[in-house]
Amino acid sequence: GAVVSQHPSRVICKSGTSVKIECRSLDFQATTMFWYRQFPKQSLMLMATSNEGSKATYEQGVEKDKFLINHASLTLSTLTVTSAHPEDSSFYICSARQGGVYGYTFGSGTRLTVV
Amino acid sequence: AQSVTQLGSHVSVSEGALVLLRCNYSSSVPPYLFWYVQYPNQGLQLLLKYTSAATLVKGINGFEAEFKKSETSFHLTKPSAHMSDAAEYFCAVSEGAAGNKLTFGGGTRVLVKP
């Protein structure tokens, strides 16, 4: 079946530094990937939709200059949290859309802690 | 605009009892509906999906859901709960056009008592 690999699974960084999270579709091509943020005991909030070869579409209220998304190939999308602050600490999850009957496959998530 | 409401943020069931998780949606077009399960510190795993075929959808791990257009509902059930069913469950809707995003409900945490 479709597999999405997300790396790293956990990262701790200092306030003011940047962190890159990778999302790879391992056995299929994903023209569209999605990035979500999940706070403890809450649902997933869509941050942005990433399309291969074009600029990401950000949801209202998401700072595009802070959360940089790059979808350079059909199997890789990256999310960079720039100048991270403690309030950016969260669980970030990517999802890749596989063609056909609307299959969305999720990565295993990245726990970001900014200290 | 599409939205999803999950009634009950927490559900407690005894092992072997029926599991019923409620999901109601709103959508301006015929929806595509999904149920996902999430274990702690993990991503989401698809349980089942409705994509305008049969209204009763069977998924993995003994779960099934029924699409009821008149009630705008897509409730998830499992006849007999197992301890391994303890997790967070999310209902989601997509309005179906290629590449459309998923909108999630607030989630329901299931606790299974021995």
Side-chain angles (χ1 to χ4, degrees):
Chain A
V3 178
V4 171
S5 174
Q6 188 172 342
H7 180 80
S9 58
R10 289 179 175 272
V11 59
I12 300 173
C13 71
K14 292 185 177 180
S15 187
T17 62
S18 295
V19 172
K20 180 183 286 187
I21 302 170
E22 291 189 350
C23 180
R24 295 181 183 271
S25 56
L26 296 187
D27 48 4
F28 66 98
Q29 293 183 331
T31 55
T32 304
M33 291 187 174
F34 305 87
W35 287 95
Y36 296 86
R37 183 173 181 176
Q38 186 179 30
F39 289 105
K41 302 185 188 304
Q42 295 189 26
S43 187
L44 282 73
M45 297 302 296
L46 180 66
M47 299 174 66
T49 301
S50 166
N51 293 295
E52 186 267 338
S54 64
K55 291 184 178 181
T57 302
Y58 290 82
E59 294 298 300
Q60 191 172 9
V62 177
E63 298 176 62
K64 60 181 67 176
D65 293 332
K66 180 168 190 59
F67 298 100
L68 300 179
I69 291 172
N70 183 274
H71 194 159
S73 77
L74 287 171
T75 59
L76 174 64
S77 177
T78 60
L79 167 67
T80 301
V81 183
T82 63
S83 186
H85 291 284
E87 57 265 30
D88 298 324
S89 298
S90 189
F91 194 57
Y92 294 87
I93 305 175
C94 71
S95 172
R97 182 184 173 277
Q98 188 179 16
V101 197
Y102 303 100
Y104 300 83
T105 302
F106 287 79
S108 56
T110 298
R111 172 75 59 194
L112 170 63
T113 303
V114 184
V115 298
Chain B
Q2 55 196 30
S3 66
V4 179
T5 301
Q6 290 182 238
L7 294 178
S9 59
H10 292 80
V11 168
S12 181
V13 298
S14 297
E15 191 174 18
L18 172 72
V19 179
L20 170 60
L21 305 183
R22 300 178 186 275
C23 173
N24 289 87
Y25 69 90
S26 68
S27 175
S28 57
V29 299
Y32 294 83
L33 295 157
F34 306 80
W35 274 100
Y36 289 91
V37 62
Q38 184 181 35
Y39 296 97
N41 292 309
Q42 294 188 27
L44 275 66
Q45 180 183 10
L46 180 67
L47 286 175
L48 48 80
K49 60 186 176 186
Y50 167 77
T51 56
S52 75
T55 57
L56 182 62
V57 182
K58 293 188 182 298
I60 63 171
N61 301 342
F63 284 95
E64 65 180 37
E66 185 172 9
F67 172 68
K68 292 187 177 181
K69 183 178 179 180
S70 61
E71 298 178 7
T72 62
S73 69
F74 190 56
H75 301 332
L76 180 72
T77 60
K78 180 173 180 177
S80 177
H82 190 272
M83 296 300 291
S84 62
D85 295 326
E88 186 90 20
Y89 292 79
F90 292 98
C91 181
V93 63
S94 167
E95 290 190 339
N100 251 18
K101 60 187 179 183
L102 289 175
T103 298
F104 286 89
T108 299
R109 183 168 299 275
V110 172
L111 172 65
V112 181
K113 299 177 291 185

